[in-house]
């Protein structure tokens, strides 16, 4: 194995695994740190999917170090800490502490911070993160119920979360190519800088940054930063052609959609699906908290629908989310819905549902945690950053599309099924 990655949520891990697979690395995604028995022969990259994004920092650090230890024992020679392309984190969040801990464990003095993903409109300029044409702080991410992003400066965010000395490699340097970026790394190291925010506006920028990062033990960022890494291994003669790739075969069975994300993108996808005639059931967290609506009722409703893929969702407008949080508490409101949808997924699985779209990183983590596969095999890409996956080590295989709340076109819930036989 060559590359070991640690992802702070499940959908981000799938996004990264897809990127590496597309670039020619035979990749497997594990659900948490494997406890043993997982065959990694013939695998070039392993992505360990954690559910650590919103955990207390000490917990996130412990989970990430456990994942690092596993990847080291598995033989990885370079490591990637993958977080969201919108740097989802609170001011006292986990990205800084986890980065510090991984750097210390690896004995490295320099890493990069690059969550750019131009294909999904995430770019970095002069150290500021943009979502489309908006600064992160002006984007809908400012209303995220768990990780509201009110500052777009990655330099400020990283410095506020860690004790690392943070620097910047600007786009003028990146535009000159990999050699100039590598020279900037060495100059930053001489200044004692330890975490470098790197500007990136295009995929070509990411490939140049990736090439310059060949000698770094640890890289941090979004899935986009992985775009230029496989070529480094290929250039060194370590990466063979993936000509033995396993064909993706989705199991036959019923299809369903579960949506827990309150992002603007997911809300738009729900509206689009409902307007197209998809039957939909909206969950009320207050009703669930008071025991007035139960999991078996949601499962029964879904199974009673004759449509191809009914939708059960808790996604709501920011005002509704704030009202639920005021009534139930911020953490309880979120965990209540996650647990409800996870138990619903188990009920659907027991009833023979074998094809499932799940929208939302936290929701996906809860659902996959309940289903408990050992790993996910990466299949075809639905939209940038979102593949179909096939569970490995589960009683009955399931096809899962695990979508980050912010990802996907408006017709995502409709067109995803067209990629399955």
């Amino acid at each position: 194995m060559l590359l070991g990655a640690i992802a702070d949520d499940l959908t981000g891990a799938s996004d990264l695994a897809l990127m590496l697979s597309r670039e020619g690395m035979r990749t497997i995604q594990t659900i948490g740190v494997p406890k043993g028995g997982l065959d990694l022969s013939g695998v070039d990259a392993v992505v360990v999917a954690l559910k650590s994004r919103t955990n207390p920092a000490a917990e996130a650090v412990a989970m990430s170090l456990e994942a690092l230890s596993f990847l080291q024992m598995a033989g990885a020679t370079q490591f990637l800490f993958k977080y969201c392309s919108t740097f989802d984190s609170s001011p006292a969040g986990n990205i800084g502490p986890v980065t510090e801990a991984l750097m210390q464990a690896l004995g490295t003095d320099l890493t990069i911070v690059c969550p750019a993903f131009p294909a999904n409109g995430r770019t970095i300029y002069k150290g500021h993160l943009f979502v489309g044409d908006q600064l992160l702080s002006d984007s809908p991410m400012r209303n995220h119920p768990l990780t509201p992003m009110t500052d777009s400066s990655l330099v400020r965010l990283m410095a506020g979360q860690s004790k690392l000395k943070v620097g910047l490699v600007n786009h003028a340097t990146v535009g000159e190519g990999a050699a100039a970026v590598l020279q900037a790394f060495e100059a930053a190291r001489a200044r004692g800088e330890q975490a470098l925010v790197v500007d990136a506006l295009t995929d070509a920028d990411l490939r140049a940054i990736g090439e310059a990062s060949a000698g770094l033990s640890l890289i941090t960022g979004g899935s986009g930063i992985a775009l230029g890494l496989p070529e480094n291994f290929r250039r060194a003669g370590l990466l063979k052609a993936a000509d033995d790739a396993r064909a993706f075969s989705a199991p036959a069975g019923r299809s369903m959609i579960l949506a827990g994300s309150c992002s603007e993108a997911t809300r738009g996808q729900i509206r689009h699906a409902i307007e197209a005639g998809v039957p939909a059931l909206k969950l009320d967290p207050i009703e669930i908290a008071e025991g007035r609506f139960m999991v078996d009722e949601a499962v029964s409703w879904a199974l009673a629908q004759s449509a191809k893929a009914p939708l059960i969702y808790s996604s709501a407008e920011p005002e509704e989310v704030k009202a639920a949080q005021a009534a139930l508490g911020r953490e309880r409101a979120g965990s209540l819905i996650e647990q409800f949808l996870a138990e619903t997924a188990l009920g659907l699985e027991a009833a023979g549902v074998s094809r499932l779209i799940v929208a939302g990183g936290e929701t996906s983590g809860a659902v996959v945690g309940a289903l408990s596969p050992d790993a996910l095999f990466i299949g075809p890409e639905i939209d940038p950053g979102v593949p179909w996956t096939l569970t490995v080590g589960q009683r009955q295989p399931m096809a899962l599309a695990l979508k980050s709340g912010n990802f996907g076109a408006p017709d995502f819930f409709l067109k995803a099924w067209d990629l399955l036989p």
Side-chain angles (χ1 to χ4, degrees), residues 96-397:
V98 169
T99 299
E100 277 190 278
L102 293 175
M103 290 181 71
Q104 184 174 4
L106 290 168
T108 186
D109 63 346
L110 185 71
T111 191
I112 63 171
V113 178
C114 189
F117 192 176
N120 269 332
R122 279 54 163 167
T123 55
I124 306 169
Y125 184 67
K126 294 190 181 298
H128 287 266
L129 184 56
F130 285 78
V131 178
D133 294 329
Q134 295 178 305
L135 286 165
L136 175 65
S137 53
D138 294 332
S139 78
M141 283 301 300
R142 69 186 183 277
N143 294 318
H144 193 287
L146 297 177
T147 53
M149 299 306 299
T150 57
D151 191 353
S152 65
S153 170
L154 294 174
V155 174
R156 262 197 310 267
L157 287 167
M158 197 66 181
Q161 289 187 20
S162 71
K163 298 176 184 176
L164 299 170
K165 186 175 181 181
V166 183
L168 171 66
V169 179
N170 64 32
H171 189 258
T173 299
V174 174
E176 293 177 12
V181 175
L182 182 58
Q183 188 175 20
F185 287 176
E186 294 309 314
R189 183 178 270 121
R191 294 192 296 270
E193 294 170 353
Q194 299 160 294
L196 297 179
V197 175
V198 187
D199 282 354
L201 300 179
T202 65
D203 284 355
D205 292 340
L206 291 174
R207 290 189 185 278
I209 297 165
E211 182 179 346
S213 301
L216 296 180
S217 299
L218 176 69
I219 296 162
T220 86
S223 61
I225 195 59
L227 194 62
L229 302 183
E231 189 59 34
N232 292 335
F233 296 112
R234 194 174 287 112
R235 194 178 293 113
L238 300 173
L239 182 61
K240 306 294 190 295
D243 54 5
D244 59 346
R246 174 179 154 200
F248 185 88
S249 179
R254 296 197 63 176
S255 305
M256 300 286 173
I257 307 168
L258 301 178
S261 170
C262 293
S263 73
E264 186 175 56
T266 296
R267 298 198 312 272
Q269 289 154 0
I270 290 169
R271 287 193 298 271
H272 190 91
I274 292 173
E275 289 168 3
V278 173
L281 173 67
K282 184 174 182 178
L283 303 177
D284 183 337
I286 306 296
E287 286 187 355
I288 293 171
E290 295 175 352
R292 292 187 283 120
F293 191 76
M294 309 298 287
V295 168
D296 58 354
E297 294 177 85
V299 173
S300 296
W301 175 88
L303 297 175
Q305 307 305 309
S306 59
K308 181 177 181 179
L311 165 65
I312 298 175
Y313 70 102
S314 63
S315 311
E317 298 297 320
E319 296 75 16
E320 296 177 79
V321 173
K322 289 176 182 176
Q325 289 177 338
L328 300 173
R330 182 170 176 170
E331 290 187 7
R332 187 183 176 214
S335 62
L336 194 72
I337 289 296
E338 289 172 27
Q339 185 62 31
F340 188 94
L341 289 173
E343 292 178 10
T344 300
L346 281 176
L348 294 173
E349 179 202 25
V353 172
S354 61
R355 301 170 176 215
L356 190 64
I357 293 176
V358 187
E362 297 297 315
T363 305
S364 293
V367 166
V368 174
L371 296 173
S372 299
D374 293 332
L376 298 176
F377 171 72
I378 305 301
E381 185 176 34
I382 304 166
D383 270 334
V386 192
W388 274 109
T389 70
L390 187 67
T391 61
V392 177
Q394 198 179 3
R395 294 179 298 278
Q396 296 293 329

Side-chain angles (χ1 to χ4, degrees), residues 39-107:
D39 183 10
L40 297 179
S41 58
V43 172
D44 300 314
V46 174
V47 181
V48 177
L50 302 178
K51 193 174 185 294
S52 60
R53 178 170 298 170
T54 56
N55 292 46
E59 287 182 15
V61 166
M63 295 166 72
S64 302
L65 290 176
E66 182 187 7
L68 175 65
S69 179
F70 160 74
L71 293 168
Q72 287 176 310
M73 288 189 291
T77 58
Q78 189 176 48
F79 303 89
L80 171 60
F81 170 37
K82 194 275 176 196
Y83 40 82
C84 188
S85 59
T86 47
F87 206 82
D88 293 12
S89 189
S90 64
N94 297 338
I95 295 175
V98 169
T99 299
E100 277 190 278
L102 293 175
M103 290 181 71
Q104 184 174 4
L106 290 168

